[in-house]
Structure formats: structure tokens, C-alpha cells
Amino acid sequence: QDPKYLAENLLSEDGIQPWLGCPKEHSRQLSVELQLERASPIGYVDVGNYGCAFLQIEVGCSSWPCYQPYLTLVSTVTLITPANSKLDHDHCRVQMFKESKD
């Protein structure tokens, strides 16, 4: 991770604090695992994006056995199209994911 923009920033209550990968890291994939103090319902997730192409959000419970896979909260979504990425266009935006009322 970037030494200035740590993963802990994702839970900051002091306003918007970004989390960025290390500029020297070229794996093209970032992941973060957050553990909340107690089980909490998740009504929505706001994602501020800066150049990320795809996003997937998975959730789990610390009391689950280690072999139990996470559940998908948000299936893989495209945040920036390949065309916009090549043009360096529309790479900075915010998107909200919320519970479907189906």
C-alpha cells in the first residue's frame, strides 16, 4: 500500500481518506480485509474510484470455519471501461452500491 494512503483510511470518520496501492506494485490487483468489532448489517457501500477498472466486495464472519468462503456482497462490476481507461477519461468517480429492494 501507499505509505501515505493506508488501508485504515477506508474506515476513517474524519472525512474522505483515500486508500491507494503502492506505486511500485504492478500486480494490477489490490485487496483489503476489514474486520468490524461486531456483526453489522451493511445497507450500502460508497466506493470512490481513482482508476480502478473492476470491483468485487465479499463478506464473511470471523466465527466461520477457515475453509468457508466469503459471500459475494457486490458481484464484479466495471467501474471504468477499457476505452475510458486508454483515454484517461472518467477515471475518478464515486459509486454507491445498496441493497436491492426486489
Side-chain angles (χ1 to χ4, degrees):
Q1 67 185 341
D2 185 284
K4 183 177 177 185
Y5 301 109
L6 306 173
E8 289 86 4
N9 290 350
L10 294 171
L11 298 176
S12 173
E13 294 181 16
D14 300 329
I16 297 171
Q17 298 290 325
W19 166 56
L20 296 174
C22 180
K24 296 177 183 176
E25 173 62 44
H26 298 289
S27 70
R28 302 176 59 147
Q29 183 174 358
L30 296 173
S31 65
V32 66
E33 187 170 314
L34 304 173
Q35 185 171 358
L36 305 178
E37 290 182 23
R38 60 184 178 354
S40 304
I42 300 173
Y44 66 92
V45 176
D46 282 334
V47 175
N49 180 36
Y50 187 79
C52 176
F54 304 102
L55 171 75
Q56 181 171 322
I57 301 174
E58 298 177 326
V59 295
C61 185
S62 60
S63 64
W64 289 355
C66 61
Y67 57 83
Q68 183 168 348
Y70 290 128
L71 299 175
T72 301
L73 183 66
V74 175
S75 297
T76 303
V77 294
T78 302
L79 299 176
I80 184 171
T81 65
N84 281 345
S85 179
K86 288 178 184 176
L87 295 171
D88 196 26
H89 179 350
D90 202 23
H91 65 275
C92 185
R93 60 192 298 184
V94 176
Q95 190 162 345
M96 177 188 276
F97 301 93
K98 61 183 180 177
E99 184 178 11
S100 167
K101 298 296 183 189
D102 294 341

